[in-house]
Amino acid sequence: MNFNKQLLVVSTIAICVSASHFLTQEWKTWKSKYGKTYVSLDDELFRRKAWEATWDKVQKHNQLADQGLKKYRLAMNHFADMTSEERKRKSCASPVEKSFTAVNAPVHSYSTNSHLRAEVDWRKSSCLSQVKNQGVYCGSCWAFATVGVLESRYCIKKGKLLGMSEQQLIDCDGKSDGCCGGLPVNALEYVSHKGIMRGKNYKYTEKKSACLYNDNQALKLNVTKYYVLPGEKNMAISLSTEGPVTALFAVHEDFMLYSDGIYDGKCAEEVNHAIIIVGYGTEEGEDEAKNEEYWIIRNSWGKEWGEGGYGRVKRNAQQCKIDETAATADITV
């Protein structure tokens, strides 16, 4: 009996040592993959502890996904060494939330007879630039969402994809709060008056600085109108007939760790992040009642996030308030 107890203790210790060694190897691999370095040993130990908590969270969630109990999966991406509280605080609006409140812009609704395609995916066109990364120090998602839509809609109309400047919006749009948040519809209004410079002439710095706008270098996009799209049907019609649109999203920390699948998970209480909607579709289930409608969204968190920088979000369900402040602009030839 004593021998059996001793054997159990030894086996338990061996399992714990093996698990610790496995996590250490995973930690080293993860750091190398994402180029992570830390200023001190204490900082690294703190980040290692946060990373292990994330590891546990991701494994438990994905086990449920493997059992068909979750429709999306999580990943140990570049946000994995943040604590849960840090992920909750990290949003485009932090620390100033007023940018995402009052919206004073025209509202545009389409005719109920407007043509609506069964599915749309602008990734299949040549009018989407490479996925971009706003970085960790600037809440500039609103500028990236605005620029992404303008780049695509200009290309759809003109046949030429030009890289445009997020930094100009951060530095020069007086209605925004720079790296502390802003509204895409306000940025669209700004561009309709001022135009926008090329990204190569006004490069992104991940911080707000003095406005260096040069009218002689600005593209005059001929934005005839900018507006908010009320409801998901109007959003879909605009996508189907004109091109990508911006939307605000109430990001929960789970969304930051999203890997793939159709996100129908938790949401923040208020919108705090801006994204681009580049399409929509339907994932067929075993029968029609189990079909899953989704939006195809493009983020500004780099290719490491989601499905190569893109994700799918449950559609026609007001998921995370995605339908409340969608906006876009019309560009004429």
Side-chain angles (χ1 to χ4, degrees):
M1 188 70 176
N2 289 337
F3 173 78
N4 289 338
K5 286 183 178 179
Q6 289 176 350
L7 182 62
L8 179 61
V9 170
V10 171
S11 298
T12 301
I13 292 172
I15 291 171
C16 291
V17 170
S18 177
S20 177
H21 177 72
F22 172 76
L23 279 179
T24 296
Q25 289 301 116
E26 288 294 308
W27 168 246
K28 290 179 179 178
T29 300
W30 179 86
K31 284 195 302 176
S32 176
K33 178 179 180 179
Y34 293 108
K36 295 282 186 171
T37 57
Y38 302 98
V39 295
S40 66
L41 178 60
D42 286 344
D43 185 36
E44 177 158 354
L45 291 173
F46 177 82
R47 291 299 161 193
R48 166 73 184 265
K49 184 177 179 180
W51 180 89
E52 288 189 6
T54 303
W55 175 274
D56 185 58
K57 175 185 179 71
V58 168
Q59 300 311 308
K60 288 179 179 178
H61 177 95
N62 288 347
Q63 286 174 6
L64 295 176
D66 291 340
Q67 298 168 27
L69 300 176
K70 294 290 184 180
K71 297 175 183 176
Y72 63 96
R73 298 176 64 82
L74 302 181
M76 295 296 290
N77 62 22
H78 49 312
F79 297 128
D81 62 346
M82 297 173 70
T83 67
S84 177
E85 286 303 312
E86 285 173 328
R87 285 194 292 268
K88 288 175 182 177
R89 291 197 304 267
K90 180 179 170 56
S91 69
C92 219
S94 178
V96 180
E97 297 183 355
K98 65 179 181 179
S99 301
F100 281 101
T101 54
V103 178
N104 182 21
V107 176
H108 179 67
S109 296
Y110 289 88
S111 166
T112 54
N113 297 323
S114 298
H115 176 66
L116 185 62
R117 287 185 276 167
E119 62 179 35
V120 173
D121 189 348
W122 287 101
R123 292 176 299 181
K124 297 177 181 179
S125 74
S126 57
C127 286
L128 285 182
S129 60
Q130 293 293 314
V131 171
K132 301 177 183 180
N133 192 339
Q134 69 186 72
V136 298
Y137 300 111
C138 185
S140 52
C141 58
W142 61 276
F144 279 82
T146 302
V147 163
V149 165
L150 290 172
E151 287 175 342
S152 292
R153 291 207 165 202
Y154 180 86
C155 177
I156 291 166
K157 291 291 185 180
K158 306 280 190 176
K160 189 174 183 180
L161 182 61
L162 301 177
M164 300 176 189
S165 174
E166 294 87 8
Q167 193 65 42
Q168 179 188 337
L169 300 181
I170 295 165
D171 293 345
C172 307
D173 178 11
K175 286 190 176 181
S176 83
D177 287 308
C179 285
C180 295
L183 278 172
V185 72
N186 288 340
L188 291 170
E189 178 188 16
Y190 167 84
V191 172
S192 72
H193 295 299
K194 293 286 190 179
I196 189 163
M197 293 171 62
R198 300 282 297 275
K200 64 182 182 180
N201 295 327
Y202 202 154
K203 295 182 180 180
Y204 184 60
T205 62
E206 204 174 333
K207 62 182 179 180
K208 180 178 172 63
S209 303
C211 179
L212 300 177
Y213 169 73
N214 185 334
D215 185 68
N216 293 328
Q217 293 182 323
L219 297 165
K220 306 303 181 183
L221 302 186
N222 200 15
V223 174
T224 55
K225 59 181 178 179
Y226 56 92
Y227 46 85
V228 171
L229 293 160
E232 295 186 67
K233 185 173 183 180
N234 280 302
M235 293 160 60
I237 294 171
S238 185
L239 268 165
S240 178
T241 59
E242 301 289 343
V245 304
T246 70
L248 299 184
F249 200 74
V251 169
H252 182 271
E253 65 162 319
D254 283 7
F255 189 69
M256 296 180 67
L257 299 172
Y258 166 87
S259 170
D260 58 88
I262 299 175
Y263 187 82
D264 63 348
K266 295 179 181 179
C267 307
E269 292 184 2
E270 301 296 337
V271 292
N272 55 13
H273 187 56
I275 55 177
I276 306 171
I277 304 180
V278 300
Y280 60 81
T282 303
E283 185 174 86
E284 295 185 0
E286 296 175 359
D287 55 63
E288 189 173 342
K290 294 184 179 180
N291 288 351
E292 292 288 341
E293 296 179 315
Y294 59 83
W295 295 112
I296 304 170
I297 69 102
R298 170 175 161 142
N299 216 332
S300 52
W301 291 341
K303 292 182 179 180
E304 298 86 358
W305 180 86
E307 299 172 338
Y310 294 86
R312 287 173 289 161
V313 172
K314 190 172 183 179
R315 179 165 60 101
N316 291 328
Q318 300 177 314
Q319 181 68 27
C320 298
K321 303 187 177 184
I322 197 171
D323 62 313
E324 290 191 0
T325 325
T328 193
D330 290 346
I331 297 174
T332 59
V333 177

